[in-house]
Amino acid sequence: MFLGQYQHSIDAKGRLIVPAKFRDDLGERFVVTKGLDNCLFAYPQEEWKVFEEKLKQLPLTNPGARKFVRFFFAGAVECELDNQGRIMVPPHLREYAGLKKDIVSIGVNNRIEIWNKDSWNEYSDEEDYISNELAFEMENLGI
């Protein structure tokens, strides 16, 4: 399980330090893809396979399902850590998530989300994020 929030920076070559707390659970090779809310999702191989199987079950005849599957698979890349605990984030993923310098990596149960720091701060400071609406959504989900 991934927990916590860590700040790092991405260098001019697109290399990003993966927080040490996340490295063991991610493994040496893992998948990074476009995520929702303009961040990136990083999945350990085992979790990616579970997610992949769920996507395979979506009906090909449904235009929304096809779009959803394309979104995740077309942007996906397999990454591996270098000796300094960094990954190379490809340009198309850096552009999608607006990764320029300051980055926030957050643990979200079975995956890591990689955010542009300003985008994360804006998202996490939104009134809806900490308001009664969040509590209402938790109730709807049975939490």
Side-chain angles (χ1 to χ4, degrees):
M1 177 186 299
F2 297 103
L3 301 169
Q5 175 177 313
Y6 303 90
Q7 294 186 22
H8 289 283
S9 58
I10 194 166
D11 69 16
K13 294 180 181 179
R15 295 176 298 196
L16 173 67
I17 293 173
V18 173
K21 295 268 187 188
F22 293 159
R23 292 179 198 159
D24 286 341
D25 289 334
L26 268 178
E28 287 187 32
R29 298 179 77 87
F30 51 93
V31 176
V32 176
T33 190
K34 292 178 182 177
L36 304 175
D37 302 313
N38 291 94
C39 69
L40 303 180
F41 289 171
Y43 289 97
Q45 288 289 346
E46 293 170 10
E47 290 294 336
W48 176 254
K49 288 183 191 321
V50 170
F51 185 58
E52 182 180 4
E53 286 304 315
K54 289 179 182 179
L55 292 176
K56 284 180 183 178
Q57 300 305 314
L58 296 175
L60 186 61
T61 55
N62 181 312
R66 289 193 308 270
K67 188 174 185 179
F68 192 71
V69 170
R70 286 182 193 121
F71 176 80
F72 286 107
F73 279 99
V77 295
E78 190 174 75
C79 293
E80 61 182 297
L81 296 170
D82 68 11
N83 292 338
Q84 296 177 7
R86 301 175 302 187
I87 59 169
M88 177 64 74
V89 181
H92 73 281
L93 292 178
R94 290 193 311 254
E95 183 178 327
Y96 169 79
L99 305 181
K100 299 207 184 324
K101 184 175 184 207
D102 295 322
I103 308 300
V104 177
S105 298
I106 63 171
V108 187
N109 191 14
N110 66 338
R111 70 177 184 275
I112 295 168
E113 293 183 357
I114 302 167
W115 289 76
N116 168 294
K117 182 182 175 187
D118 292 337
S119 297
W120 171 249
N121 288 341
E122 183 180 317
Y123 176 81
S124 62
D125 287 344
E126 287 179 2
E127 187 175 327
D128 290 342
Y129 182 75
I130 54 175
S131 72
N132 289 333
E133 190 173 323
L134 181 59
F136 180 74
E137 288 301 320
M138 290 175 70
E139 182 181 347
N140 284 340
L141 294 170
I143 299 173

